[in-house]
């Protein structure tokens, strides 16, 4: 697991020494991603750099790595789980390996298959390959977006790339100008979805895509997607017909992710997904699996009861930690690590469970992806219940219900619900997952900012485009595809990558194995959401080893008591930050509306914790990356404000 960075310029290439200094700065700023080693490659017009966290082939895996004659070189972030099979296949075709690293398997696969090498990789990755013969740079990102990759084509003709935005910002040609469409997307969803970036001129390479840069021209190709196309025999197949293959794929997905030359463990929340992963790990391990859990003093958010149940059932070497509200002191540090504004408060416990796991292991498996794959979110149940409103004629919904919801005063009972059920399926879903909806943006945005936006926003338009790619008879398939392409890479995987990499911990997600995804997409939606039961077929597949109390527990999610923390520990800081002169004069949001949200929340009239947290994190981001040009917070290990209760179960 590493961080990569670099740039190419065929026209006005600076001197080798200048490129070396810039590249070193780009690498140093992401040292947390790879504390073990730094490697660089500078030749002609290209500069490639990486920071390494040693996981496989500790002695021989130094990057960059080149092919036999040095005409192709790679920097790579990730893990390739089938690299040994690739190595054997490529050796048989005449390729000569100098190391036992998965990185070298990729460069030889590129030699053999060209850009189609990505189709032969099973794992998580973001890499850059410089082909000296073709004078071509190739950037690639894994199928579901586990590993990040930013890039920018500057007006000076330089292509700059990196694992994190802060690497690109270390290049002198990058400017710090906010992209209004990306800002609108953030205030809508609480994160900036691919391919948008919060800064003008910067993009995120979408999952399942590769990019080539040659003679000053960019070309992007999508190499992978999955389709909700049920088997032709789906109508006659029973659930039992899918279970055997599903169990085999789940087992394989976990087994191949146990490859490591360093200590390995797992995050254990006590939910269905993480418990299933730990259970399968235990099957393939000859020693107790090391597991890590986070808890809170607030009972309604504390899942330790179930984590302990799973740990005892699987006889793991279990470690648990209680997070206190003092963790809120870390918000500046977290804002720096995310690079872009990010409003998911579960980043706080994710950071702590990663940091505390890192004291014991270097790699941790997680249950991420199970909700998007098997329909685990309760919002899918809510959407199915509200679908009946689609039977109301559209003219009534658009000409009566929507205008009425808009005329109702702010905070009026039923206003948001009326607006939501008046929408079509996709718009209703977007409205339900929005921090600020079309309705509330009317009051939130300044006239100047509204004028900069194109209609309903580029992000919302992309969501509708993605929804249009699903052609099945069940609306659930549309929602699963949407979440898999937006919320999963934009929120869940971004959160886990940044928070684990912040402490130099590698996180692996077996439920996001692409072969498993392709198979589950063919399973009928009715077997995933069965009535109001979420993850129906997944629960059946793991019922022989996961305790029933965990299988049938109510969905809780990885939440945090953010409302209580905003009301207490963060109350003064949030109020002062959002009412400060800098925040009030940004020009994007109406200060009076923000003040109204603060007042209603502080007086207990309404719960505005989610929108206030989003505005708070946005202002912190602007101060760090716009006002202070990316200056890092001063948080140290000694300041980590956590009350720890660790025990082995």
């Amino acid at each position: 697991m590493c961080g990569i960075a670099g740039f190419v310029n065929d026209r006005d290439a600076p001197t080798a020494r200048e490129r070396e200094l810039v590249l070193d700065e780009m690498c140093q700023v992401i040292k947390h991603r790879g504390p073990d080693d730094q490697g660089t490659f500078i030749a002609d017009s290209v500069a490639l750099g990486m920071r390494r966290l040693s996981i496989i082939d500790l002695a021989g895996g130094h990057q960059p790595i080149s092919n036999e004659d040095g005409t192709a070189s790679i920097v790579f972030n990730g893990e390739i789980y089938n690299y040994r099979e690739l190595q054997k296949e490529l050796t048989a075709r005449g390729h000569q390996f100098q190391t036992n690293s998965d990185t070298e398997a990729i460069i030889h696969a590129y030699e053999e298959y060209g850009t189609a090498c990505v189709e032969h990789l099973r794992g998580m990755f973001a890499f850059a390959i410089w082909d000296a013969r073709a004078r071509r740079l190739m950037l690639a990102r894994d199928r579901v977006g586990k590993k990040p990759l930013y890039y920018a084509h500057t007006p000076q003709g330089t292509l700059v790339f990196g694992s994190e935005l802060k690497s690109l910002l270390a290049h002198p040609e990058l400017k710090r100008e906010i992209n209004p469409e990306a800002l609108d997307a953030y205030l809508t969803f609480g994160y900036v979805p691919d391919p948008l970036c919060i800064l003008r001129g910067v993009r995120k390479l979408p999952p399942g895509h590769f990019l080539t840069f040659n003679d000053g021209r960019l070309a992007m190709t999508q190499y992978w997607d999955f389709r909700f196309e049920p088997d032709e025999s789906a109508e006659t197949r029973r659930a039992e017909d899918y279970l055997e293959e599903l169990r085999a794929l789940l087992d394989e997905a976990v087994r191949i992710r146990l490859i490591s030359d360093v200590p390995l463990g797992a995050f254990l929340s006590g939910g269905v997904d993480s418990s299933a992963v730990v259970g399968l790990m235990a099957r393939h391990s000859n020693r107790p699996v090391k597991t890590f859990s986070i808890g809170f003093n607030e009972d309604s958010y504390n899942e330790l009861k179930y984590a302990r149940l799973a740990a005892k059932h699987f006889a793991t070497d279990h470690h648990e930690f209680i997070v206190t509200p003092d963790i809120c002191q870390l918000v500046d540090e977290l804002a720096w690590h995310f690079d872009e504004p990010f409003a998911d408060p579960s980043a706080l416990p994710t950071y702590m469970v990663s940091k505390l796991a890192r004291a014991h292991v270097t790699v941790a498996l997680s249950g991420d992806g199970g909700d998007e794959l098997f329909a685990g979110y309760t919002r899918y149940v809510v959407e199915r219940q509200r679908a009946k409103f689609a039977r109301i004629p559209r003219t009534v919904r658009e000409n009566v219900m929507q205008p009425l919801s808009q005329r109702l005063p702010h905070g009026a009972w039923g206003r948001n619900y009326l607006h939501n059920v008046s929408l079509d399926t996709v718009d209703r879903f977007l409205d339900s997952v929005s921090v600020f909806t079309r309705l509330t943006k009317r009051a939130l945005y300044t006239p100047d900012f509204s004028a900069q936006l194109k209609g309903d926003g580029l992000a919302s338009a992309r969501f509708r485009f993605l929804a249009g790619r699903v052609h099945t008879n069940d609306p659930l398939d549309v929602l699963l595809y949407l979440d898999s392409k937006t919320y999963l890479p934009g929120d869940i995987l971004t959160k886990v990558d940044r928070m684990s990499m912040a402490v130099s911990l590698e996180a692996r997600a077996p439920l996001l194995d692409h072969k498993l995804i392709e198979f589950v997409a063919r399973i009928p939606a009715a077997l995933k959401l069965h009535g109001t039961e979420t993850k129906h077929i997944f629960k059946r597949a793991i019922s022989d080893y996961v305790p029933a109390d965990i299988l049938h527990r109510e969905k809780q999610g990885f939440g945090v008591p953010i409302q209580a923390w905003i009301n207490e520990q963060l109350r003064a800081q949030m109020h002062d930050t959002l009412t400060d002169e800098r925040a009030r004069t940004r020009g994007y949001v109406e200060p009076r509306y923000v003040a109204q949200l603060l007042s209603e929340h502080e007086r207990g009239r309404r719960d505005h914790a989610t929108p206030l947290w989003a505005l708070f994190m946005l202002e912190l981001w602007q101060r760090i990356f716009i006002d202070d040009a990316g200056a890092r917070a001063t948080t140290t290990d000694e300041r980590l404000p956590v009350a720890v209760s660790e025990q082995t179960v």
Side-chain angles (χ1 to χ4, degrees):
M1 190 62 63
C2 309
I4 64 173
F7 52 93
V8 179
N9 189 329
D10 282 333
R11 288 186 285 181
D12 301 319
T15 66
R17 179 55 179 165
E18 290 173 330
R19 282 180 283 153
E20 182 181 336
L21 291 173
V22 171
L23 184 61
D24 181 66
E25 187 175 352
M26 294 176 70
C27 291
Q28 285 294 319
V29 77
I30 54 170
K31 186 176 181 179
H32 52 276
R33 295 189 73 92
D36 298 332
D37 186 21
Q38 178 169 311
T40 59
F41 171 85
I42 297 177
D44 298 325
S45 57
V46 66
L48 305 179
M50 59 80 60
R51 292 294 317 186
R52 185 186 183 205
L53 175 64
S54 303
I55 302 294
I56 292 174
D57 192 7
L58 305 186
H62 175 78
Q63 297 183 42
I65 288 180
S66 300
N67 61 345
E68 294 92 337
D69 61 7
T71 57
S73 301
I74 183 174
V75 285
F76 160 62
N77 169 28
E79 299 291 346
I80 305 302
Y81 304 117
N82 65 330
Y83 81 96
R84 290 172 178 164
E85 293 83 354
L86 267 177
Q87 189 180 60
K88 291 178 182 178
E89 173 187 323
L90 293 166
T91 299
R93 291 174 176 264
H95 294 268
Q96 298 177 4
F97 283 76
Q98 303 300 315
T99 73
N100 189 38
S101 70
D102 52 351
T103 309
E104 189 176 5
I106 302 175
I107 196 65
H108 288 298
Y110 175 80
E111 274 192 293
E112 185 70 28
Y113 305 113
T115 56
C117 64
V118 289
E119 299 172 13
H120 297 262
L121 306 179
R122 188 174 185 182
M124 54 183 178
F125 54 84
F127 63 77
I129 292 177
W130 172 247
D131 186 331
R133 288 177 178 171
R135 296 193 63 79
R136 177 177 68 189
L137 181 76
M138 175 186 179
L139 301 178
R141 191 177 180 198
D142 65 66
R143 293 170 178 82
V144 295
K146 299 173 189 175
K147 294 291 100 186
L149 192 54
Y150 290 83
Y151 69 95
H153 191 193
T154 73
Q156 293 87 345
T158 305
L159 181 71
V160 188
F161 68 88
S163 295
E164 297 186 11
L165 180 58
K166 58 178 67 70
S167 274
L168 278 70
L169 291 175
H171 194 282
E173 294 177 17
L174 266 291
K175 296 182 178 180
R176 299 172 188 268
E177 298 178 357
I178 292 178
N179 178 351
E181 293 289 349
L183 179 55
D184 172 60
Y186 167 74
L187 290 169
T188 304
F189 304 111
Y191 60 92
V192 180
D194 303 327
L196 291 174
C197 174
I198 193 62
L199 297 184
R200 289 184 189 271
V202 183
R203 309 280 280 181
K204 295 194 281 279
L205 186 63
H209 286 68
F210 68 81
L211 177 152
T212 57
F213 182 67
N214 182 255
D215 291 331
R217 294 189 298 271
L218 288 173
M220 187 183 299
T221 302
Q222 182 173 10
Y223 68 88
W224 182 83
D225 200 0
F226 65 95
R227 293 281 184 262
F228 288 99
E229 297 174 352
D231 295 336
E232 293 180 0
S233 60
E235 293 184 2
T236 59
R237 293 183 71 178
R238 302 171 302 165
E240 288 75 10
D241 298 323
Y242 294 98
L243 288 173
E244 183 177 357
E245 186 172 356
L246 176 56
R247 290 182 181 120
L249 284 169
L250 287 168
D251 186 78
E252 181 187 40
V254 171
R255 177 181 55 78
I256 64 176
R257 282 164 177 78
L258 299 180
I259 301 172
S260 176
D261 294 333
V262 294
L264 181 147
F267 298 140
L268 180 59
S269 69
V272 173
D273 301 332
S274 64
S275 297
V277 169
V278 169
L280 289 169
M281 290 176 70
R283 285 185 173 184
H284 294 286
S285 179
N286 56 9
R287 63 185 65 181
V289 176
K290 293 182 182 293
T291 54
F292 307 93
S293 301
I294 284 289
F296 302 93
N297 289 324
E298 294 82 357
D299 289 340
S300 58
Y301 291 88
N302 200 348
E303 296 188 277
L304 287 181
K305 167 187 174 183
Y306 295 101
R308 291 168 184 167
L309 175 63
K312 183 176 181 179
H313 183 80
F314 299 123
T316 73
D317 177 8
H318 186 59
H319 307 264
E320 59 184 35
F321 310 90
I322 303 297
V323 178
T324 70
D326 291 338
I327 193 178
C328 294
Q329 296 176 25
L330 291 174
V331 289
D332 287 333
E333 177 81 357
L334 267 58
W336 183 85
H337 276 292
F338 277 109
D339 285 343
E340 299 184 85
F342 188 79
D344 186 342
S346 66
L348 287 163
T350 302
Y351 177 81
M352 290 311 305
V353 75
S354 298
K355 182 171 183 62
L356 298 168
R358 185 63 176 89
H360 301 267
V361 299
T362 312
V363 178
L365 273 64
S366 76
D368 293 317
D371 290 319
E372 292 82 4
L373 192 60
F374 295 104
Y377 294 124
T378 54
R379 59 175 174 256
Y380 302 140
V381 179
V382 172
E383 170 53 33
R384 180 168 287 182
Q385 294 169 340
R386 294 187 180 183
K388 61 180 180 291
F389 287 96
R391 294 194 292 265
I392 298 175
R394 177 174 292 183
T395 55
V396 175
R397 289 185 282 118
E398 291 183 349
N399 299 324
V400 178
M401 297 170 68
Q402 290 182 24
L404 178 59
S405 67
Q406 294 168 9
R407 285 196 295 269
L408 288 172
H410 166 79
W413 183 88
R415 178 177 184 253
N416 294 334
Y417 180 85
L418 178 63
H419 176 73
N420 182 262
V421 299
S422 72
L423 303 172
D424 291 333
T425 301
V426 174
D427 285 341
R428 183 168 59 245
F429 183 71
L430 292 181
D431 183 78
S432 68
V433 299
S434 293
V435 178
F436 291 100
T437 67
R438 279 188 287 177
L439 200 59
T440 54
K441 286 178 185 178
R442 292 170 175 265
L444 176 70
Y445 289 171
T446 64
D448 287 346
F449 183 51
S450 294
Q452 297 178 53
L453 304 176
K454 301 174 183 178
D456 202 23
L458 290 179
S460 296
R462 175 166 172 76
F463 276 53
R464 296 186 188 97
F465 167 77
L466 290 170
R469 301 178 70 172
V470 180
H471 303 288
T472 66
N473 295 323
D474 198 312
L476 177 62
D477 291 334
V478 175
L479 306 186
L480 293 175
Y481 187 77
L482 270 177
D483 271 340
S484 296
K485 295 294 183 178
T486 58
Y487 180 67
L488 178 63
D491 186 303
I492 301 298
L493 297 181
T494 296
K495 173 184 66 180
V496 174
D497 174 80
R498 301 306 192 279
M499 296 297 90
S500 60
M501 285 285 90
V503 298
S504 308
L505 176 76
E506 176 177 303
R508 299 177 178 178
L511 299 184
L512 291 175
D513 184 273
H514 78 271
K515 292 188 177 182
L516 177 62
I517 292 172
E518 291 168 350
F519 173 73
V520 175
R522 300 198 305 268
I523 299 177
L527 293 178
K528 299 168 189 172
L529 182 59
H530 188 66
T532 59
E533 183 191 10
T534 58
K535 298 182 182 174
H536 172 73
I537 195 166
F538 180 57
K539 292 174 183 176
R540 290 192 59 179
I542 61 175
S543 61
D544 60 337
Y545 62 92
V546 173
D549 287 349
I550 291 176
L551 284 178
H552 304 298
R553 59 170 292 200
E554 185 177 347
K555 172 72 175 177
Q556 186 165 339
F558 197 28
V560 298
I562 195 65
Q563 181 182 6
W565 293 356
I566 287 177
N567 290 342
E568 298 171 12
Q569 284 75 17
L570 278 171
R571 183 185 181 101
Q573 182 185 359
M574 178 170 286
H575 186 278
D576 293 346
T577 299
L578 294 181
T579 59
D580 180 79
E581 182 67 14
R582 280 186 291 178
R584 294 173 59 249
T585 56
R586 299 285 185 193
Y588 303 116
V589 300
E590 290 285 1
R592 286 177 297 180
Y593 185 69
V594 176
Q596 183 178 5
L597 295 179
L598 278 167
S599 175
E600 291 178 351
H601 189 84
E602 290 171 351
R603 288 183 290 133
R605 289 193 61 195
R606 293 182 184 88
D607 178 10
H608 294 309
T610 298
L612 286 174
W613 182 259
L615 292 169
F616 179 55
M617 295 306 294
L618 172 62
E619 179 58 24
L620 291 183
W621 174 83
Q622 290 189 111
R623 294 184 180 191
I624 294 170
F625 284 94
I626 303 299
D627 300 348
D628 299 333
R632 184 172 183 178
T634 57
T635 302
T636 64
D637 287 352
E638 288 73 24
R639 279 187 54 203
L640 284 180
V642 58
V644 178
S645 172
E646 180 175 349
Q647 65 179 16
T648 301
V649 177

